[in-house]
Amino acid sequence: MTATASTVLPARALLLDMDGTLVNSDAAVDRVWRRWADRHGLDGDEVMKVVHGRQGYASMALLLPDRPMEHNHADNARMLAEETADTEGVVAIPGAAEFLASLRGLPHALVTSADVALSTARMAAAGLAQPDVRVTAESVGASKPDPEGFLKGAAELGIAPADCIVFEDSGAGIAAGRAAGMRVVGVGPRAGFHGPDVVVEDLTRVRVEADADGGLRLHIG
């Protein structure tokens, strides 16, 4: 549903995707993946329908199903280096800086398909502070839509999955949050197509407050 002024969600922790949720990196993602599509004779528009939210090797496995997985992992390493070096046009999602600042001292984590180098580069390019708890590509054995990343984030915070709320923009990420047994706030234009609990245009109308019992109340709208 689209958020209204009365949307209030109780939680004990928030798990935040990066690309498309905190950081608008669409221009850089588009440049890098369209170059990759050209190298492999694939339609760039079709490739862009697949790549958001997943680790690169997982997207490649869907797009080149007959290619050995070790080739995908090697190609993914090259792609990550290319993406890390290309931060032109990478900016914060509106409201992201203020939202992250409001979470200081409250249980939250970054859960991203990017690796440490790429997530550090993009958050810095967008002028955003890194959460203390981060689950990156190096931390998991399976890419979103597998729930492993979100479950690890909840475990590192010591919070039950059912008490966590995920912020995501992509179909793969929303599916991962759902599979983890968590509620999902969808952020941005892609999110509404994938059935999150609530959809927001950006983070400017999202506010969090601490409850007296140590929980959180998320106000949206």
Side-chain angles (χ1 to χ4, degrees):
M1 65 177 176
T2 301
T4 68
S6 60
T7 303
V8 180
L9 300 174
R12 301 194 75 83
L14 304 182
L15 303 178
L16 313 173
D17 174 51
M18 182 183 71
D19 291 303
T21 301
L22 297 173
V23 173
N24 182 347
S25 57
D26 281 1
V29 172
D30 195 81
R31 283 192 297 272
V32 170
W33 277 98
R34 285 185 185 275
R35 286 196 296 267
W36 181 89
D38 287 342
R39 290 197 295 269
H40 294 279
L42 298 174
D43 181 89
D45 291 341
E46 295 303 313
V47 167
M48 296 314 300
K49 292 177 183 177
V50 172
V51 300
H52 292 290
R54 293 180 172 86
Q55 290 192 44
Y57 75 84
S59 296
M60 293 170 190
L62 292 173
L63 293 161
L64 298 173
D66 297 327
R67 189 165 78 156
M69 187 56 81
E70 59 265 27
H71 292 188
N72 294 334
H73 281 288
D75 211 0
N76 184 49
R78 290 188 290 270
M79 289 283 285
L80 283 169
E82 195 175 343
E83 288 187 285
T84 300
D86 185 352
T87 57
E88 182 181 350
V90 173
V91 297
I93 294 291
E98 296 82 1
F99 182 55
L100 286 170
S102 76
L103 296 180
R104 289 186 193 127
L106 302 178
H108 68 289
L110 185 74
V111 181
T112 175
S113 294
D115 65 2
V116 169
L118 179 56
S119 60
T120 300
R122 284 189 175 160
M123 291 289 279
L128 298 176
Q130 292 264 22
D132 291 335
V133 177
R134 298 184 289 276
V135 178
T136 61
E138 296 93 338
S139 310
V140 298
S143 171
K144 299 171 185 177
D146 191 281
E148 181 185 1
F150 287 124
L151 292 172
K152 282 202 168 185
E156 288 199 31
L157 293 171
I159 304 295
D163 291 327
C164 296
I165 293 178
V166 165
F167 280 69
E168 265 286 1
D169 72 299
S170 70
I174 290 167
R178 289 275 193 211
M182 301 173 182
R183 290 156 293 157
V184 181
V185 174
V187 181
R190 283 187 291 269
F193 297 103
H194 303 288
D197 294 275
V198 179
V199 181
V200 295
E201 181 179 347
D202 55 35
L203 298 173
T204 57
R205 298 180 68 186
V206 180
R207 181 172 60 86
V208 64
E209 64 180 5
D211 280 344
D213 66 354
L216 308 175
R217 290 179 67 79
L218 189 64
H219 296 259
I220 301 173

Coordinates of all heavy atoms in Angstrom, one line a residue, residues 18 20 25 47-48 50 52 58 65 68 71 74-75 83 98 107-108 112 127 132 136 144-145 177 198-199 206 217-218:
M18 N 21.2 -0.5 0.3 CA 21.9 0.7 -0.1 C 21.4 1.3 -1.4 O 20.8 2.3 -1.5 CB 23.4 0.4 -0.1 CG 24.2 1.7 -0.5 SD 26.0 1.4 -0.6 CE 26.1 0.4 -2.1
G20 N 19.5 2.4 -4.4 CA 18.1 2.6 -4.7 C 17.3 2.9 -3.4 O 16.2 3.3 -3.5
S25 N 22.3 5.3 -7.3 CA 23.4 4.9 -8.1 C 23.0 4.4 -9.5 O 23.7 3.8 -10.2 CB 24.2 3.8 -7.4 OG 23.4 2.7 -7.1
V47 N 18.8 -6.6 -19.7 CA 19.7 -6.8 -18.7 C 19.4 -5.9 -17.5 O 19.4 -6.4 -16.3 CB 21.2 -6.4 -19.2 CG1 22.1 -6.3 -18.0 CG2 21.6 -7.5 -20.1
M48 N 19.0 -4.7 -17.7 CA 18.6 -3.7 -16.6 C 17.4 -4.2 -15.8 O 17.2 -3.8 -14.7 CB 18.5 -2.3 -17.1 CG 19.7 -1.7 -17.7 SD 21.3 -2.0 -16.8 CE 20.8 -1.1 -15.2
V50 N 17.0 -7.1 -14.8 CA 17.4 -8.2 -13.9 C 18.4 -7.8 -12.8 O 18.4 -8.4 -11.7 CB 18.1 -9.3 -14.8 CG1 18.8 -10.4 -13.9 CG2 17.1 -9.9 -15.8
H52 N 19.1 -5.2 -10.7 CA 19.0 -4.4 -9.5 C 18.7 -5.4 -8.3 O 17.9 -6.2 -8.3 CB 17.8 -3.4 -9.6 CG 18.1 -2.3 -10.6 ND1 19.0 -1.3 -10.3 CD2 17.6 -2.0 -11.8 CE1 19.0 -0.5 -11.3 NE2 18.2 -0.9 -12.2
A58 N 25.1 -13.4 -9.6 CA 23.7 -14.0 -9.6 C 23.0 -13.5 -10.8 O 22.2 -14.2 -11.5 CB 23.0 -13.7 -8.3
P65 N 22.7 -18.4 -18.7 CA 22.5 -19.6 -17.9 C 23.4 -20.8 -18.3 O 23.6 -21.7 -17.5 CB 21.1 -20.0 -18.2 CG 20.7 -19.2 -19.5 CD 21.5 -18.0 -19.5
P68 N 29.7 -21.3 -17.2 CA 30.1 -21.9 -15.9 C 30.1 -20.8 -14.8 O 30.5 -19.6 -15.0 CB 31.5 -22.4 -16.2 CG 31.5 -22.6 -17.6 CD 30.6 -21.6 -18.2
H71 N 33.1 -18.6 -14.1 CA 33.3 -17.4 -15.0 C 32.5 -16.2 -14.5 O 33.0 -15.1 -14.7 CB 32.9 -17.8 -16.4 CG 33.8 -18.8 -17.1 ND1 33.6 -19.1 -18.4 CD2 34.8 -19.5 -16.6 CE1 34.6 -20.0 -18.8 NE2 35.3 -20.3 -17.7
A74 N 34.4 -14.6 -11.6 CA 35.6 -13.9 -12.1 C 35.1 -12.6 -12.8 O 35.7 -11.5 -12.5 CB 36.4 -14.7 -13.1
D75 N 34.1 -12.6 -13.6 CA 33.5 -11.5 -14.2 C 33.0 -10.5 -13.2 O 33.1 -9.3 -13.3 CB 32.4 -11.9 -15.2 CG 32.3 -11.0 -16.4 OD1 33.1 -10.0 -16.5 OD2 31.4 -11.3 -17.3
E83 N 32.6 -0.8 -11.0 CA 31.6 0.0 -10.3 C 32.2 0.9 -9.2 O 31.7 2.0 -9.0 CB 30.5 -1.0 -9.8 CG 29.7 -1.6 -10.8 CD 28.5 -2.4 -10.2 OE1 28.8 -3.5 -9.6 OE2 27.4 -1.9 -10.2
E98 N 19.3 12.6 6.7 CA 18.6 12.9 7.9 C 18.0 11.6 8.6 O 18.0 11.5 9.8 CB 17.4 13.9 7.6 CG 17.8 15.2 7.1 CD 18.2 15.3 5.6 OE1 18.1 14.2 4.9 OE2 18.6 16.4 5.1
P107 N 18.9 0.4 17.0 CA 19.4 -0.8 16.3 C 19.1 -0.7 14.8 O 17.9 -0.7 14.4 CB 18.6 -1.9 16.9 CG 18.1 -1.4 18.2 CD 17.9 0.1 18.0
H108 N 20.1 -0.7 13.9 CA 19.9 -0.7 12.5 C 21.2 -1.2 11.8 O 22.3 -1.3 12.4 CB 19.6 0.7 12.0 CG 20.7 1.7 12.1 ND1 21.1 2.2 13.3 CD2 21.5 2.2 11.1 CE1 22.1 3.1 13.0 NE2 22.3 3.1 11.7
T112 N 23.6 -5.0 2.1 CA 23.8 -4.6 0.7 C 24.4 -5.8 -0.1 O 25.2 -6.5 0.4 CB 24.6 -3.4 0.5 OG1 24.8 -3.1 -0.8 CG2 25.9 -3.5 1.3
G127 N 27.7 11.2 0.4 CA 27.9 12.0 1.6 C 27.1 11.4 2.8 O 26.7 12.1 3.6
D132 N 27.1 1.3 11.8 CA 28.1 0.5 12.4 C 28.1 -0.9 12.0 O 29.1 -1.6 12.0 CB 28.0 0.7 14.0 CG 28.4 2.1 14.5 OD1 29.1 2.8 13.8 OD2 27.9 2.4 15.5
T136 N 27.7 -7.1 3.9 CA 28.1 -6.9 2.5 C 28.2 -8.2 1.8 O 28.0 -9.3 2.4 CB 29.4 -6.1 2.5 OG1 30.4 -6.9 3.1 CG2 29.3 -4.8 3.2
K144 N 20.7 -11.9 -2.6 CA 19.3 -11.6 -2.7 C 18.8 -12.1 -4.0 O 19.5 -12.0 -5.0 CB 19.0 -10.1 -2.5 CG 19.5 -9.5 -1.2 CD 19.4 -8.0 -1.3 CE 19.9 -7.3 0.0 NZ 19.9 -5.8 -0.1
P145 N 17.7 -12.8 -4.1 CA 16.5 -12.8 -3.2 C 16.6 -13.8 -2.0 O 15.7 -14.0 -1.3 CB 15.4 -13.2 -4.1 CG 16.0 -14.0 -5.2 CD 17.3 -13.4 -5.4
G177 N 13.6 -9.9 1.9 CA 13.0 -9.5 3.2 C 11.8 -10.3 3.5 O 11.6 -10.7 4.7
V198 N 4.5 -1.3 2.6 CA 4.3 0.1 2.4 C 5.2 0.6 1.4 O 6.4 0.1 1.2 CB 4.5 0.9 3.8 CG1 4.3 2.4 3.6 CG2 3.6 0.4 4.9
V199 N 4.8 1.6 0.6 CA 5.7 2.2 -0.4 C 5.8 3.7 -0.2 O 4.9 4.4 0.1 CB 5.1 2.0 -1.9 CG1 6.0 2.6 -2.9 CG2 4.9 0.5 -2.2
V206 N 9.8 9.8 6.2 CA 10.0 8.6 7.1 C 10.6 9.1 8.4 O 11.6 9.8 8.4 CB 10.8 7.5 6.5 CG1 11.0 6.4 7.4 CG2 10.2 7.1 5.2
R217 N 9.2 3.0 16.8 CA 7.9 3.2 16.1 C 8.3 4.0 14.8 O 8.9 5.1 14.9 CB 6.9 4.0 16.9 CG 6.4 3.2 18.1 CD 5.4 3.9 18.9 NE 4.2 4.3 18.2 CZ 3.2 3.5 18.0 NH1 3.2 2.2 18.4 NH2 2.1 3.9 17.4
L218 N 8.0 3.4 13.7 CA 8.3 4.0 12.4 C 7.1 4.7 11.8 O 6.0 4.1 11.6 CB 8.7 2.9 11.4 CG 9.3 3.2 10.1 CD1 10.6 4.0 10.3 CD2 9.5 2.0 9.2

